Structure formats: structure tokens, C-alpha cells
Amino acid sequence: MTEDNEISLAQPSSAPRTILVLGGGGMKGIAHIGVWKALEEAGVRPDAIMGTSIGALIGAGIASGFGWRELAEIARKLTKDDIVAINRRAVFFGGVREDAVFMGDHFRRYIESILPVKTFAEMKHPFRLNTVSLVSGDEVWFGTDCRQDVPVADAVYASCALPIYFPPLKTADGDYLVDGGVLDVFPVRKAEAWGAERIIAVDVGAEFLPPAEGFFERGMIAIHDRVLNLNLRDQRSRCLDGYDGPPMVYVRPRVGHLGGWDFDRTQFFLEEGYRATRQALKEQEAA
């Protein structure tokens, strides 16, 4: 992270009071849309949004002005083919030298096609997303009071570019950016640094469950996913254990047992995000 980016995170031009934090979790992140529906119905209007990976994609849609209905319609139409296009060179002999098993441009074009804005300046609400630089090893933030030197679709793609699956975003200055969840899949601490007085944090990350029978015979992708889940488990523990930041409404939809590539449970994800948010808000009121 550059010095300027660190300054902008610590000293924003205006500190939002309530920040909605949307974590990463693959297709489980569709639950974020149900969260937005429940917040709209409850009259809760966050002052800003922060997102990681799928949370960056959903967050960008919200910050661009989409309501839950528009987002739900996009989610229901989403198919695996919209996101996944096999990099056939990666499956040939010598394919280990390829940078990913899927084609990045295909996914990036999909992101561009669904977002109603091209630049961060066009967004209707303050918004930030994180990526990770493979050059510096630091988080790189884009959006309000942060970098805005790439199109929104490029920044969102980079935040979703999970290594091995999708190639890094190559920037004009020679950097290589990947999924923000590599370092911070649930950036509530960065929301605190932005000046939040209340955080609504949506956690759609995976549970670290015992592997299914035959799991390790599925190959390098399955092993990579297992290592990733270990990393994400530790991230969540560091984030939540002993949390002493501003008041937080913690929303944990019951999706952690499901896979991040499940394209057949869209309606369940929508409904579970809605249910979990209503419950979290009710518990907050009763406290």
C-alpha cells in the first residue's frame, strides 16, 4: 500500500457514521442482496459501503444506485457461463505456466456489463474495495478517498481475482492485483479506520469443516481451496476474537457450509441474507 493510500484510509475527507461491510465468499455473497433488502425495509441507510471480492461486486452495485430488486434480478439471471470461461491453454501439457485456469477478460466483461457506472466519480454513495498487490504484498484500496485511476469494472475484477482461478489485473504502472480476501476478507478494521461509529458487517465466509470422503483425490484445485479456507478461518478469528471497535451488527447468514461455486442456490442465498439481517437487527434492538 502506498503512503498516499495509507493517509487516505486513515484521514478521509469525510468520515461516514454507519458503514456496511460486505465480506468475500464466492457465490454465497449473493446473500448480500438479501441483506440490502432487509436494510431497505428497516429504513437503515448506511453512509458508506466497503466490499471484498464478491462483496466488492455487490457493493459496487449498491453504491452505483441499485436497489435490492435490480440486484436480485441480476443474480437470478447469473449462470456459471457468465463468469467462467476455461483457459484451454492451462489444461494442455505445459499449462502450469499459465496464470489461471479461467479467462479473466470474460469475467471482467460480465462485471462491466452489469454495473451502471464506469468510474468511481459516478457512484451515488461512498464506496471502497480492496485488492492485494503481488508486487508490494500490500492491500491496495480503490474508491472514495482512495485510488480511482482504473475503471470500476477493473477494480471490482481485481478484488474478485482469486489466484489460480482468475489471472491478476495488470495495471498500467506494472502492478499485479488479486482478490482482496487474500489479506482481508472481512475488512471491519478498515471500516473503523475510515471513522465508522457503527458497522454492519456481513460474513459469508466458509466454515472449516472436515473434508468429504475422497476430497484430496480431486486434485490441486481442491487442495488450494482447503489451504484458502484455512487462511480465511484465521482471518475471521483475528478479526472477531476480542473485537473492541465501534458497535457492530454482525450478520452471519447460514451459508458457510456451502461451496463458493454453487450456482444453483441463488434463491436460498437471497432469502438467507434477508433472514439473517432481520434477526441481527432484531437482536440489536432487544439488547
Side-chain angles (χ1 to χ4, degrees):
M1 186 183 299
T2 65
E3 182 179 355
D4 288 344
N5 207 20
E6 288 177 349
I7 291 172
S8 68
L9 279 170
Q11 301 176 13
S13 59
S14 59
R17 297 185 61 186
T18 299
I19 297 181
L20 174 63
V21 177
L22 305 177
M27 285 297 294
K28 298 189 297 292
I30 288 176
H32 293 320
I33 300 171
V35 171
W36 191 236
K37 176 183 179 182
L39 293 178
E40 283 191 355
E41 289 184 354
V44 177
R45 302 295 296 182
D47 301 300
I49 302 122
M50 301 180 79
T52 296
S53 198
I54 185 65
L57 178 56
I58 304 299
I62 294 171
S64 300
F66 280 152
W68 70 267
R69 290 180 179 84
E70 292 94 335
L71 291 168
E73 181 179 1
I74 291 170
R76 291 190 181 103
K77 292 179 179 177
L78 175 65
T79 69
K80 186 175 182 179
D81 290 340
D82 290 321
I83 294 176
V84 174
I86 297 294
N87 176 7
R88 300 195 181 281
R89 291 191 297 270
V91 299
F92 294 155
F93 181 75
V96 70
R97 294 185 180 274
E98 290 296 310
D99 52 11
V101 298
F102 300 148
M103 303 294 290
D105 287 346
H106 179 78
F107 185 21
R108 189 210 166 279
R109 285 193 295 270
Y110 173 75
I111 295 170
E112 187 176 40
S113 73
I114 63 173
L115 291 179
V117 303
K118 296 185 180 300
T119 68
F120 287 100
E122 298 173 75
M123 287 189 159
K124 300 181 183 300
H125 307 289
F127 173 64
R128 291 178 178 178
L129 63 82
N130 67 342
T131 67
V132 173
S133 167
L134 295 183
V135 175
S136 69
D138 296 327
E139 282 187 273
V140 179
W141 285 83
F142 290 89
T144 305
D145 297 315
C146 300
R147 285 181 56 173
Q148 300 187 13
D149 58 327
V150 302
V152 173
D154 281 6
V156 171
Y157 168 79
S159 189
C160 295
L162 185 62
I164 292 186
Y165 288 108
F166 295 104
L169 176 75
K170 302 174 184 178
T171 64
D173 61 357
D175 209 347
Y176 290 74
L177 303 178
V178 298
D179 194 317
V182 168
L183 288 181
D184 197 352
V185 74
F186 195 45
V188 295
R189 298 292 181 180
K190 292 300 191 303
E192 180 181 4
W194 196 355
E197 297 178 13
R198 180 174 72 154
I199 297 171
I200 302 171
V202 189
D203 181 1
V204 294
E207 301 286 356
F208 192 72
L209 302 173
E213 183 178 354
F215 179 88
F216 295 106
E217 281 69 56
R218 298 177 188 173
M220 67 175 69
I221 298 297
I223 294 171
H224 169 265
D225 284 350
R226 190 68 174 171
V227 172
L228 176 65
N229 283 342
L230 271 170
N231 171 270
L232 299 183
R233 181 193 66 176
D234 289 348
Q235 282 195 41
R236 183 183 296 112
S237 295
R238 291 195 301 270
C239 173
L240 297 176
D241 292 351
Y243 176 79
D244 58 357
M248 179 169 64
V249 179
Y250 179 65
V251 181
R252 177 63 169 161
R254 294 180 298 209
V255 297
H257 61 293
L258 298 173
W261 295 95
D262 195 332
F263 287 82
D264 298 322
R265 297 180 186 262
T266 296
Q267 189 60 35
F268 172 75
F269 293 146
L270 292 168
E271 293 174 359
E272 184 55 23
Y274 178 77
R275 182 209 61 79
T277 305
R278 284 176 57 89
Q279 178 179 329
L281 291 174
K282 183 177 180 179
E283 290 174 354
Q284 180 197 37
E285 292 175 0

